[in-house]
Amino acid sequence: MIIAIDGPAASGKSTTAKKVAEMLNFIYVDTGSMYRAVTLAVLNAGMDPNVESDVKGILPNLAISVEVSEGGSKTLLDGNDVSEETRRTGVTNHVSAVSAMPSVREEMVAMQRRITVGKDAVVEGRDIGTVVFPKADFKFYFTASHTARAERRRLDLKKLGIEHSTEEIIEDLKRRDDIDSGRIHSPLTRADDAITVDTTNLTFDEQVAFIVNRVRNS
Ligand code: DC
């Protein structure tokens, strides 16, 4: 069974998806971290993350893998766990450009389908219900106000020791939303058959319960 959860950055998808996977004993796949790992590799190689021909050149040699388990997901680059490093701002600033490249998407989508073959999985991203698994058993689309999203992101960054104002984060979220929703290939968009979950005024427990109840009562 595949449960697809899509939505913009900081809409509450990741934490919710992880907990839902844990409760249902499904594997959890964080596809954003895969695009982040490609971006980190591009930056580490000293390449321009805006030039597709450069990025395409390193794709065949990229050693990206994902270790999935119930409720957990680790992204490895050359055997090292880069899950935390890829959440830092250097990567975040360039990941929308890298993930808009068709060659990158093709590789990552193939990997996402491979990882989940024969498994029950909660898969979280931007194009899971529309492109990666258009026949997913359940599709949820998360939204939230800019202020609620920025406040969540601010607290996440603070845990990593990075301080930004809510206003700065709102600007950054808007910039990334524009790129993610406006790109030609697999833009962020709600699948017609997805259930919208507006998390602006929901607690974490309510978000989790909403999905788990839908799945269990179906
Ligand atoms: O969810 P996140 O913030 O970690 O995602 C990082 C970037 O990756 C985001 O800007 C859009 C991109 N992404 C994507 O294009 N498709 C996905 N399935 C997941 C993420």
Side-chain angles (χ1 to χ4, degrees):
M1 181 191 286
I2 298 284
I3 301 174
I5 304 185
D6 290 301
S11 54
K13 325 182 283 299
S14 301
T15 44
T16 306
K18 214 179 283 180
K19 185 68 186 174
V20 167
E22 197 184 303
M23 288 175 73
L24 297 174
N25 276 333
F26 281 26
I27 63 163
Y28 161 63
V29 183
D30 170 5
T31 61
S33 75
M34 297 163 71
Y35 291 97
R36 286 173 180 274
V38 178
T39 308
L40 179 65
V42 169
L43 295 174
N44 284 348
M47 287 178 172
D48 185 338
N50 297 298
V51 180
E52 183 165 11
S53 52
D54 283 6
V55 175
K56 199 173 176 178
I58 68 162
L59 279 177
N61 304 319
L62 271 191
I64 291 182
S65 56
V66 181
E67 268 181 16
V68 286
S69 59
E70 276 89 7
S73 174
K74 265 189 205 167
T75 306
L76 309 180
L77 180 62
D78 296 323
N80 300 313
D81 181 2
V82 291
S83 314
E84 189 165 307
E85 192 178 352
T86 55
R87 306 223 65 86
R88 294 188 175 272
T89 30
V91 171
T92 302
N93 286 344
H94 296 291
V95 65
S96 285
V98 172
S99 60
M101 297 172 180
S103 51
V104 173
R105 303 206 69 81
E106 204 177 303
E107 287 278 328
M108 293 302 110
V109 169
M111 201 185 286
Q112 289 151 21
R113 291 183 180 145
R114 236 179 7 248
I115 295 167
T116 49
V117 168
K119 300 217 168 79
D120 289 324
V122 180
V123 189
E124 173 239 317
R126 302 290 189 288
D127 59 340
I128 309 305
T130 50
V131 174
V132 186
F133 296 112
K135 293 189 176 153
D137 303 85
F138 292 91
K139 296 181 187 178
F140 296 94
Y141 188 83
F142 274 37
T143 60
S145 71
H146 281 117
T147 314
R149 290 168 57 202
E151 189 52 20
R152 282 192 196 121
R153 180 49 50 96
R154 194 181 67 76
L155 295 174
D156 284 349
L157 289 171
K158 203 171 171 196
K159 279 186 210 146
L160 294 174
I162 304 164
E163 300 273 355
H164 283 295
S165 70
T166 306
E167 291 69 31
E168 280 172 326
I169 298 174
I170 289 179
E171 281 317 301
D172 181 58
L173 287 175
K174 285 184 176 168
R175 181 186 67 81
R176 287 177 56 201
D177 284 356
D178 284 348
I179 304 179
D180 293 346
S181 308
R183 70 184 176 215
I184 296 169
H185 299 279
S186 313
L188 168 66
T189 178
R190 197 183 78 86
D192 290 340
D193 51 350
I195 300 165
T196 299
V197 186
D198 184 338
T199 63
T200 307
N201 296 309
L202 292 183
T203 64
F204 172 67
D205 288 343
E206 286 168 339
Q207 289 162 205
V208 172
F210 181 84
I211 295 185
V212 169
N213 290 339
R214 281 276 177 156
V215 174
R216 286 194 175 141
N217 297 333
S218 66

